[in-house]
Amino acid sequence: MFYFKRWRLSSKYFNILIAVLTFVLFLWLTPVVAQGLTKAPVILDGQQLFQISDSGEYSAQERAHLINSQLKNVISASESIQVKIEKRNQLPTILLNHRYLLTVTQQDTVPGSTLDEQATIWVQQIEEALQQAHLERTKTYLQQTTFVAAAILLITAGFSWLLGWIKYNFFQAASQRLTTTTNAIPNSEPLKVLELFLKLVLASIRFGLWVSAVLYITNLFPFTRQWSYQISNILSTSFTSPILTLGKNPYSITELIILIGLLFGLVIFAGTVTNFLRSRILYLTGINRGAQEAIVILFKYGLIFIGTLVLLQIWGLDISSLTILASALSVGIGFGLQDIAKNFGSGLVLVFERPIQVGDFVEVGEYTGIVERMGARSTEIRTLDHVSIIVPNSRFLEKEVINWSHRNPISRLHLPVGVAYSSDPKAVQAALLEAASKHPNVLQSPSPLVLFKEFGNNALNFELLVWTAEPNKQFLLKSDLYYNIYEVLQQRKIEIPFAQLDLHLRSGTLEFTPEMQLAFIQMFERLSNHEQRIDPINPSQNQT
C-alpha cells in the first residue's frame, strides 16, 4: 500500500484522466473493413517467405500450394540445398535442386523493382529459410527451445498473478479513498463501476498475454509454427471479417468490441464529469441537495444520449437503420420490460415534478428513512437503522408517500398522555408544557400546545403537540419527551393510571315460573330421601 500513499493525484482527476485517454484512444481506432487477399503466401514451417500473384491460368493459391509442397518435400528428404535462376521464355525461373519451383511474373514484382531483382531476392529468402529449417530440426536447438518455452510460461503465469494483485490493491486503495473523502456512508455505484471496469481490463490483458505467449511458443518450434500461423490467421479473420451489416456498412467483431468499449468509456466519462459537476460546481452554488441531484441526473443521461448519437455518427452508422432495433425493443418492452419502462418513466416524472428529493425524510409503505439516491429505475432509501432499501420509482406515484421534508421540514408531533381522574387538568397542562420546554429540539415558535382530548374509560386523555425542524429525529425526540413527562408528573404527584375494570352487583328478588318451582321441589325431595337412606353410625351397612 506504500506506493499508493505516494500517489498524490486526486482520485477524481485520475478518473477524469483515464476516461479522457480511453475516449481518445477509441476515437483514434477508426473502423476498418477487412479486404480480401489478392495474393497467396509462400510458407515454410509456418513462416511466410513472400507472396505471389495469379499467373496465367493458375491462381495465386494454386501456385503457392505447389511451391509449399516442394519446399516441404526438400526438408523432409534432408536433401542438399541448391537454388538457382534460369531464363525461360524470357522470364526468370527459380529452380530448386534442378527442379522447377516457380516463374517470376510481372504481377509478382513490387513497385520499383525488375523481374531479375525480384527473383534474386526470393532465391536468397528461400536459401535462408531452408538452412534455418535444417538448423531448427537439430537436437540442440530443440532442447534450448523447450527450455525457453517453459521459461515463457512461468513468466506469463507470474505476470498474470501480478496483474491480479495490482488490480486487487488498486481497488482496495480506491475504495478507501472514496470512503475517507466523505463522512457519510459511501454510495456503492461508483465502486461497482470501477470494479467492473478493472475486471474487464484485467481479463482483456490476461487474454492478450496468454494468447501472445502461446503464439510465441508455437512459433519457436518448426513443427508447431504452422499452428501459430493458422491460429493467427483464424483470429485475424474472425475479428476482421464482417459479421453484421447495419444499413450499408458491414461491421466485424473487432469493430463491435471497439464500439462497445467506446460506449462503456462514454458512460464512465459521463459519470466522472457529473461527479465533478456535483462536487465542484453545484456545491458552490448553494442550492439544496435535491435540486443538485435533479440537475446531475438530467445532465448525466443527456450527456450519455447525445454522446451515443455522436459516436454512432462518427462510427459511420446511420441512425435511421436503428428503426428495426427500436421496433424490436418496443416489442420487448411491451412483453418483458414493462416494469422497467414504467419505473424509468416514473423516474423522469419524479425528476421533473420533484415530489421527493435527495435528503428528504419520507415514509413509503412500511419503510421510513432518508432518500439517499434517485436513479433512473429505483430510489435508495436509508432507514434509521442504516439499512438501504431499494424502492422502484413507480411506488412513489402509485401509493401515498409521506414526505416530512417537502417544501417546509418543520413538522408537528403528537404525544398522547393519560392521567388519573383525580388530577387537576390545569396542573397537567403546566406539567406537559414544562416537559416540552426542557428539550432543545422542540421549537418555541410555534409554541407547544396541550389539548384536553376526552374523558376516557380509565383516565383523562391529553395530547401534547410540539414542533420540530428535524423530522428524521422524531422517534428519539418522542422518547426524550416521554422521559421528561414521566419525571415531571412524578414530581407534581400526578398519577398515571392503569387499565382497570369495576364490577357492581345489585341485590333483589328472583322470580320463578311454576314449572321451575316444581322442578326445584322434586330435586329437593330426591336429595332428602337420599340422605335418609344413609346411616351416619355405620356407613358400611348402608344400601344405595
Side-chain angles (χ1 to χ4, degrees), residues 49 53 102 168 211 246 285 367 412 416 423 432 461 501:
L49 303 181
S53 302
L102 68 101
Y168 174 79
V211 169
L246 294 177
T285 59
Y367 303 119
R412 189 165 67 176
S423 304
L432 296 180
N461 293 328
L501 179 62

Side-chain angles (χ1 to χ4, degrees), residues 396-542:
F396 293 96
L397 301 181
E398 295 175 350
K399 298 184 178 181
E400 293 79 6
V401 178
I402 300 177
N403 190 348
W404 294 83
S405 305
H406 187 57
R407 296 182 181 176
N408 187 5
I410 297 178
S411 305
R412 189 165 67 176
L413 306 180
H414 299 250
L415 290 86
V417 178
V419 298
Y421 267 90
S422 60
S423 304
D424 182 7
K426 293 297 183 182
V428 175
Q429 181 184 21
L432 296 180
L433 293 177
E434 179 184 351
S437 63
K438 290 183 177 181
H439 203 286
N441 290 339
V442 174
L443 299 180
Q444 299 303 319
S445 178
S447 60
L449 179 64
V450 177
L451 299 180
F452 194 155
K453 297 289 291 184
E454 61 180 352
F455 294 95
N457 294 329
N458 306 306
L460 301 176
N461 293 328
F462 293 83
E463 190 171 47
L464 175 62
L465 307 179
V466 297
W467 296 86
T468 178
E470 297 177 323
N472 58 321
K473 299 180 180 179
Q474 58 177 294
F475 301 103
L476 296 177
L477 178 57
K478 286 184 177 181
S479 177
D480 294 341
L481 287 177
Y482 275 124
Y483 277 117
N484 294 344
I485 291 171
Y486 184 82
E487 181 182 355
V488 173
L489 293 180
Q490 290 293 324
Q491 292 176 357
R492 294 175 178 260
K493 306 299 182 181
I494 299 176
E495 180 184 357
I496 302 176
F498 54 87
Q500 59 185 3
L501 179 62
D502 296 334
L503 180 61
H504 298 276
L505 297 178
R506 295 171 56 185
S507 60
T509 60
L510 184 61
E511 297 181 356
F512 296 97
T513 63
E515 292 81 4
M516 294 179 63
Q517 293 177 3
L518 179 60
F520 276 114
I521 292 173
Q522 293 176 355
M523 183 179 65
F524 285 128
E525 289 177 352
R526 285 195 299 269
L527 291 175
S528 60
N529 294 333
H530 180 70
E531 291 176 355
Q532 290 176 1
R533 288 195 298 268
I534 297 176
D535 186 1
I537 299 176
N538 191 5
S540 61
Q541 297 179 0
N542 295 331

Side-chain angles (χ1 to χ4, degrees), residues 273-286:
V273 172
T274 50
N275 289 334
F276 180 82
L277 175 66
R278 180 194 294 111
S279 60
R280 297 294 181 180
I281 299 178
L282 296 179
Y283 176 77
L284 301 177
T285 59

Side-chain angles (χ1 to χ4, degrees), residues 5-212:
K5 294 181 180 179
R6 297 179 57 186
W7 182 45
R8 301 298 183 184
L9 188 61
S10 173
S11 61
K12 295 181 181 179
Y13 295 103
F14 179 77
N15 290 335
I16 293 177
L17 179 62
I18 292 296
V20 171
L21 290 178
T22 305
F23 190 73
V24 173
L25 177 62
F26 282 133
L27 282 179
W28 179 70
L29 297 174
T30 55
V32 178
V33 179
Q35 298 178 356
L37 295 175
T38 58
K39 295 186 177 181
V42 175
I43 300 172
L44 179 61
D45 286 342
Q47 183 177 2
Q48 178 177 320
L49 303 181
F50 48 84
Q51 291 184 341
I52 58 177
S53 302
D54 299 335
S55 177
E57 60 183 6
Y58 295 98
S59 64
Q61 287 76 15
E62 293 175 344
R63 296 180 65 197
H65 177 70
L66 294 175
I67 297 172
N68 293 335
S69 299
Q70 279 191 281
L71 295 177
K72 185 177 180 180
N73 293 333
V74 171
I75 296 299
S76 302
S78 300
E79 300 178 0
S80 59
I81 301 172
Q82 185 179 5
V83 185
K84 64 180 182 179
I85 303 174
E86 288 185 358
K87 283 285 187 178
R88 293 183 180 180
N89 297 327
Q90 298 181 351
L91 293 176
T93 303
I94 300 177
L95 303 178
L96 176 60
N97 292 342
H98 306 288
R99 291 191 292 270
Y100 174 82
L101 184 63
L102 68 101
T103 300
V104 181
T105 62
Q106 190 65 39
Q107 291 81 4
D108 296 328
T109 60
V110 297
S113 63
T114 62
L115 295 175
D116 294 333
E117 293 174 348
Q118 187 67 62
T120 303
I121 295 174
W122 283 359
V123 166
Q124 184 179 359
Q125 291 178 346
I126 293 173
E127 289 179 346
E128 293 177 354
L130 292 174
Q131 293 175 1
Q132 182 69 20
H134 283 296
L135 178 63
E136 290 176 350
R137 283 164 172 77
T138 60
K139 184 177 181 181
T140 303
Y141 176 83
L142 293 176
Q143 291 177 348
Q144 295 177 350
T145 306
T146 303
F147 176 78
V148 172
I152 292 175
L153 290 176
L154 292 176
I155 294 174
T156 304
F159 268 108
S160 180
W161 176 86
L162 180 62
L163 289 173
W165 182 82
I166 293 175
K167 176 258 179 185
Y168 174 79
N169 286 274
F170 179 81
F171 180 74
Q172 293 296 324
S175 302
Q176 294 179 2
R177 185 178 295 273
L178 289 176
T179 54
T180 54
T181 51
T182 57
N183 295 326
I185 297 179
N187 188 4
S188 60
E189 184 177 0
L191 291 180
K192 290 181 180 179
V193 173
L194 178 61
E195 184 179 11
L196 178 61
F197 177 75
L198 292 178
K199 285 183 178 180
L200 291 176
V201 172
L202 178 62
S204 302
I205 295 177
R206 281 179 171 175
F207 177 77
L209 187 64
W210 281 104
V211 169
S212 301

Side-chain angles (χ1 to χ4, degrees), residues 235-260:
L235 291 177
S236 176
T237 304
S238 301
F239 283 97
T240 57
S241 299
I243 62 171
L244 179 66
T245 301
L246 294 177
K248 299 181 180 179
N249 299 324
Y251 294 93
S252 63
I253 295 179
T254 304
E255 296 169 359
L256 294 178
I257 292 176
I258 295 175
L259 180 58
I260 293 173

